[in-house]
Amino acid sequence: MTTFLGMPTASPTVHLRTGESFPDAARTGLADSQQRHNLRVATTTIREKRAGVVAELDDWEQLRAAGAAIKDATLAELPDHLERFEAAVTERGGTVHWARDGDEANAIVTRLIQATGETDVVKVKSMATEEIGLNEALATAGITATETDLAELIVQLGDDRPSHILVPAIHRNRSEIRDIFRDHMDDVDPGLTNDPEALAGAARLYLRRRFLSAKVAISGANFGVAETGTLCVLESEGNGRMCLTLPRTLITVMGIEKLVPTWRDLEVFLQLLPRSSTGERMNPYTSMWTGATEGQDFHVVLLDNGRTATLADPHGRSALRCIRCSACLNVCPVYERAGGHAYGSVYPGPIGAVLSPQLTGVKDNPSLPFASSLCGACYDVCPVAIDIPTMLVHLRAEVVAAKREEHRVPTAEAASMTAAAWTMTSRRRWTAALRSLSLGRVARRMPALPPPLSSWARSRDLPQMPRETLRDWWVREGSDVPPAAPEEDA
Ligand code: SF4
């Protein structure tokens, strides 16, 4: 059977964008000093743990290269691997569903749950279901989905949004979590303290009741193995294992890029992922399941939602290598200060700045490619060597091209870049421009620059301009041979 994947893009209801641009949303994050403190403490701790366990491996760079190569090879033949995966799952009693976008995936999952007659389901933390806004879609259909990952539960009870891929409640400290539990958990001890053990105990009691009564569970998947149809979830609390084994119906929603061809390939990722994400040599719980187990109804929803369109972009497709470890978030100076909500997407930080616009198209997410200092720290830590800075530059160029198409009259930015290019391609013009830089000294003394320079200078200090150019200094110092310069353009 031939499966036509087409070129679907993300549906408009997905959680990959908000109406607010990154600079506007980042202003709110920057003003929240408590959040900045929480983020600094959390990311510093994870960063140090990660650096320690990575340094233990002599072959870390080879592992990274292997991870990147396996992902690239898989993506190059993705339709074949997907069909092998579908055949293997079906052979073992599971059912595979194909979803072009988030709306289709939500409709499939809703229909499957309605067929069971249940209205309460439990969920293992899953980025794919966050991406498509599954909980909201289920709520509209009268189905309550309870998150069972502790951090996701905190976010859900607090009516909040996740702000980190791995630690969705990273922006909350222990006292805030205690208040959320006290306000929103039924039967919670009113004297609950902010002691981590007490908080974990309260969550355990709350979740246990749901685990034992739920007949339907929804999971994501970190990896799918094409040769056997096996799915794999890595987690730290054991909640995943409870969800995957107790309920009678299990529905897994997985992005199509999560496949690896063989079991042997998993070996590489099971070393790369825990070290990069939680800074552990091995993650505490690795659950794998192949097809339906006896008495269980098992479904996989394969989600495209912009992934095929991303795959078609030769500059952007390496974003699909991402294994959602979050190492790039923990080293990013922009993420640490602005916080995850500023990105307006379930994928924050450096990978969000490339993945979200790739999935939705840059016209829908034009500010995210600029949410970076391009320092390169994200590339250095990425376990599958995604060159995020280069991709950001590529996406910036796409945003500029899209704007050019949209505006017949050049924007102020486009006009100033054209003027800069015209100046720099001629030695005579460049020398004249340098001489006029003394004007910059005047500009520094002005209380505010006029538009359009005012928007550039709003968040930057104007550099101190030199009193004279190097050439003028050279001549003044008595040499009649000025330093070499490129030939003037014709
Ligand atoms: S881009 Fe790389 S570092 Fe960032 S989450 Fe993905 S795999 Fe991890």
mmCIF file of all heavy atoms in Angstrom, residues 11 30 45 85 95 133 161 193 238 298 348 432:
data_model
loop_
_atom_site.group_PDB
_atom_site.id
_atom_site.type_symbol
_atom_site.label_atom_id
_atom_site.label_comp_id
_atom_site.label_asym_id
_atom_site.label_seq_id
_atom_site.Cartn_x
_atom_site.Cartn_y
_atom_site.Cartn_z
ATOM 1 N N SER A 11 -2.078 23.041 11.505
ATOM 2 C CA SER A 11 -3.435 23.598 11.507
ATOM 3 C C SER A 11 -3.467 24.858 12.356
ATOM 4 O O SER A 11 -2.646 25.042 13.256
ATOM 5 C CB SER A 11 -4.419 22.565 12.027
ATOM 6 O OG SER A 11 -4.012 22.106 13.297
ATOM 7 N N LEU A 30 10.820 39.545 31.072
ATOM 8 C CA LEU A 30 11.972 40.251 31.660
ATOM 9 C C LEU A 30 11.583 41.016 32.919
ATOM 10 O O LEU A 30 12.386 41.199 33.831
ATOM 11 C CB LEU A 30 12.557 41.219 30.631
ATOM 12 C CG LEU A 30 13.412 40.582 29.538
ATOM 13 C CD1 LEU A 30 13.700 41.589 28.434
ATOM 14 C CD2 LEU A 30 14.710 40.040 30.117
ATOM 15 N N THR A 45 21.692 24.644 37.484
ATOM 16 C CA THR A 45 21.849 23.304 38.077
ATOM 17 C C THR A 45 21.875 22.234 36.976
ATOM 18 O O THR A 45 22.759 21.363 36.956
ATOM 19 C CB THR A 45 20.651 23.016 39.024
ATOM 20 O OG1 THR A 45 20.531 24.109 39.916
ATOM 21 C CG2 THR A 45 20.851 21.733 39.792
ATOM 22 N N PHE A 85 6.761 0.746 9.705
ATOM 23 C CA PHE A 85 6.258 0.881 11.075
ATOM 24 C C PHE A 85 4.766 0.531 11.127
ATOM 25 O O PHE A 85 4.320 -0.240 11.988
ATOM 26 C CB PHE A 85 6.498 2.323 11.547
ATOM 27 C CG PHE A 85 5.966 2.611 12.919
ATOM 28 C CD1 PHE A 85 6.645 2.200 14.052
ATOM 29 C CD2 PHE A 85 4.774 3.304 13.084
ATOM 30 C CE1 PHE A 85 6.142 2.464 15.323
ATOM 31 C CE2 PHE A 85 4.264 3.575 14.341
ATOM 32 C CZ PHE A 85 4.956 3.149 15.469
ATOM 33 N N THR A 95 -3.605 -0.423 15.824
ATOM 34 C CA THR A 95 -4.214 0.276 14.685
ATOM 35 C C THR A 95 -3.491 1.606 14.489
ATOM 36 O O THR A 95 -3.281 2.345 15.458
ATOM 37 C CB THR A 95 -5.712 0.569 14.949
ATOM 38 O OG1 THR A 95 -6.323 -0.639 15.383
ATOM 39 C CG2 THR A 95 -6.405 1.097 13.708
ATOM 40 N N GLY A 133 -2.843 20.962 21.028
ATOM 41 C CA GLY A 133 -3.904 21.422 21.937
ATOM 42 C C GLY A 133 -4.944 20.342 22.187
ATOM 43 O O GLY A 133 -6.147 20.611 22.213
ATOM 44 N N ARG A 161 0.629 27.796 31.301
ATOM 45 C CA ARG A 161 1.167 27.197 30.079
ATOM 46 C C ARG A 161 2.567 26.662 30.365
ATOM 47 O O ARG A 161 3.302 27.268 31.154
ATOM 48 C CB ARG A 161 1.258 28.244 28.961
ATOM 49 C CG ARG A 161 -0.094 28.609 28.362
ATOM 50 C CD ARG A 161 0.081 29.644 27.275
ATOM 51 N NE ARG A 161 0.592 30.903 27.799
ATOM 52 C CZ ARG A 161 1.552 31.627 27.234
ATOM 53 N NH1 ARG A 161 2.143 31.213 26.129
ATOM 54 N NH2 ARG A 161 1.952 32.760 27.768
ATOM 55 N N THR A 193 3.237 21.750 53.353
ATOM 56 C CA THR A 193 4.387 22.671 53.330
ATOM 57 C C THR A 193 5.014 22.662 51.932
ATOM 58 O O THR A 193 4.577 21.925 51.059
ATOM 59 C CB THR A 193 5.460 22.205 54.338
ATOM 60 O OG1 THR A 193 5.967 20.950 53.877
ATOM 61 C CG2 THR A 193 4.877 22.072 55.727
ATOM 62 N N GLY A 238 7.815 7.317 36.805
ATOM 63 C CA GLY A 238 7.048 6.064 36.823
ATOM 64 C C GLY A 238 5.601 6.264 36.420
ATOM 65 O O GLY A 238 4.843 5.304 36.288
ATOM 66 N N PHE A 298 -5.072 -0.918 21.293
ATOM 67 C CA PHE A 298 -3.929 -0.003 21.115
ATOM 68 C C PHE A 298 -3.988 0.743 19.782
ATOM 69 O O PHE A 298 -4.203 0.142 18.730
ATOM 70 C CB PHE A 298 -2.625 -0.816 21.196
ATOM 71 C CG PHE A 298 -1.415 -0.019 20.833
ATOM 72 C CD1 PHE A 298 -1.099 1.142 21.527
ATOM 73 C CD2 PHE A 298 -0.591 -0.409 19.784
ATOM 74 C CE1 PHE A 298 0.009 1.900 21.173
ATOM 75 C CE2 PHE A 298 0.517 0.339 19.435
ATOM 76 C CZ PHE A 298 0.807 1.492 20.130
ATOM 77 N N PRO A 348 9.745 26.259 23.256
ATOM 78 C CA PRO A 348 10.451 27.523 23.502
ATOM 79 C C PRO A 348 11.953 27.387 23.251
ATOM 80 O O PRO A 348 12.435 26.325 22.846
ATOM 81 C CB PRO A 348 10.163 27.786 24.987
ATOM 82 C CG PRO A 348 10.001 26.420 25.580
ATOM 83 C CD PRO A 348 9.553 25.487 24.488
ATOM 84 N N ALA A 432 34.164 57.931 2.740
ATOM 85 C CA ALA A 432 33.361 59.128 3.043
ATOM 86 C C ALA A 432 32.426 58.857 4.221
ATOM 87 O O ALA A 432 32.264 59.703 5.110
ATOM 88 C CB ALA A 432 32.549 59.522 1.806
#
